[in-house]
Amino acid sequence: MGQLASVLVTAFYDQLFAKLPTIDADLTGRTFLISGSNTGIGLAAAIHLARLKALHLVLAVRDLKKGAKAKEDIIAQTNFEGIIDVWELDLSKFDGVKGFAEKANTNLRRLDGAILNAGINSTRWVTTPDGYEQILQVNGIATGLLCVLLLPLLQATSRLPSPHPDASVQMLPHLTITGSEAHFLPKFREKLAPNVLEALNVTSPATLPERYGLSKLFDVFIAREIAQLPRAEGVVVNVVSPGMVRTDIWNDEINNRGKIFSSIFRSISLPTSEGALNLIYAVLTPTPPGAFIGQCQLRPKHIPSWVLTKEGLRVQKKVWDEMVDIWRGVSPDVDNIVQV
Ligand SMILES: *[C@@H]1O[C@H](CO)[C@@H](O)[C@H](O)[C@H]1NC(C)=O
Ligand SMILES: *[C@@H]1O[C@H](CO)[C@@H](O)[C@H](O)[C@H]1NC(C)=O
């Protein structure tokens, strides 16, 4: 069986039969940041973290009003007594990402886990104010920038005394990105271009159906590169697939494919609370550097096999270097953080 077929069979089996373990941890004294947490999987992840008694949650959201509503929901559902901050994060503007990271670095004394979960899909080609196609920027390039800018705080946290000195297992800070097996879908013909990001910036709506998967492939590249940095020592970096979850990101797809797809989707997709268990597993479990996680376990075979070939590694490094060049222009801190 080919890799994609085998991944699809596994995924289908998981959707129908597998039961995710409930996760038990005491997060007293710990701080977590979750992006895209006003709705869907991000909100469900925040609710889990509140139940596990984290001290401080930062909801990073595009729309502060929706964020405030999410905060109310979390408190109503969990009687959470810790701190919830709602901060604006607009990934379609690199400057906004930089400002957000500065706010985090100034205001947070520790950061035990960052779940970079915000993501979009679109049926329209939209160029951001920074000059990149928006899906690729939001889910990929800007998410990577935020990862890099949060890394020093995560590493500093790994050196702080545990808020739980008597706990049997010490918990390392985590940087977790929400990924997707959709990263198998793009043909990604631009990967051989002299400048990949430039080649991907040629307005071409016909390539939009593969953008989402491509942006998620970039997240795999980002995690695998960041995990190797000296600045990631003491920090667990991973990518997690939540599975097929009932969220708004599927709306266009459902509208396009009609009734049969829609009813199959409804019957096999997971509720957000369940999909979010994967995020909680990823942000609390020690995993190998840059690991891919799904169904609350390591899923190394769910990374497209070409990525692990010599050519794949070369493409990964090239895309990373191109992104670093962009990030450098946004923040002078980047050079220091990505130094090898
Ligand atoms: C994202 O949107 C495109 C339409 O531009 C669609 O073809 C694709 O399947 C969507 N991806 C997901 C994961 O919904
Ligand atoms: C990407 O293409 C658009 C449209 O042609 C252009 O306005 C923008 O400057 C390009 N972005 C970059 C980073 O060159």
Side-chain angles (χ1 to χ4, degrees), residues 109-246:
R109 250 173 278 154
R110 58 184 303 137
L111 182 56
D112 296 277
I115 305 180
L116 300 198
N117 161 78
I120 56 167
N121 194 18
S122 175
T123 51
R124 283 185 315 129
W125 186 283
V126 176
T127 305
T128 67
D130 297 307
Y132 296 92
E133 185 283 318
Q134 64 167 352
I135 304 171
L136 202 62
Q137 171 160 341
V138 167
N139 304 2
I141 310 169
T143 291
L145 174 62
L146 185 54
C147 286
V148 165
L149 295 177
L150 291 175
L151 198 55
L153 178 58
L154 289 159
Q155 188 175 55
T157 304
S158 75
R159 294 168 180 160
L160 292 177
S162 164
H164 240 287
D166 50 334
S168 55
V169 190
Q170 282 308 338
M171 212 180 267
L172 292 172
H174 279 59
L175 176 60
T176 293
I177 309 175
T178 300
S180 164
E181 276 95 350
H183 62 202
F184 277 102
L185 304 177
K187 294 195 189 75
F188 193 14
R189 294 212 172 88
E190 301 83 352
K191 64 173 169 288
L192 299 175
N195 186 311
V196 178
L197 289 176
E198 217 169 81
L200 286 168
N201 190 45
V202 177
T203 308
S204 141
T207 62
L208 270 180
E210 73 171 44
R211 278 285 146 144
Y212 181 83
L214 193 61
S215 68
K216 294 299 174 177
L217 185 63
F218 275 34
D219 289 336
V220 170
F221 292 163
I222 289 163
R224 287 164 48 81
E225 287 290 327
I226 288 183
Q228 297 171 29
L229 298 174
R231 267 305 175 91
E233 222 172 277
V235 180
V236 178
V237 183
N238 56 31
V239 180
V240 59
S241 162
M244 199 188 266
V245 181
R246 256 162 256 154

Side-chain angles (χ1 to χ4, degrees), residues 13 21 29 31-32 48 55 60 73 92 108 111 115 120 125 138 160 182 198 203 220 227 254-255 270 275 280:
Y13 177 88
T31 299
F32 293 86
H48 285 305
L55 168 71
D73 285 352
S92 69
L108 302 178
L111 182 56
I115 305 180
I120 56 167
W125 186 283
V138 167
L160 292 177
E198 217 169 81
T203 308
V220 170
I254 287 173
N255 289 339
L270 304 172
I280 300 304

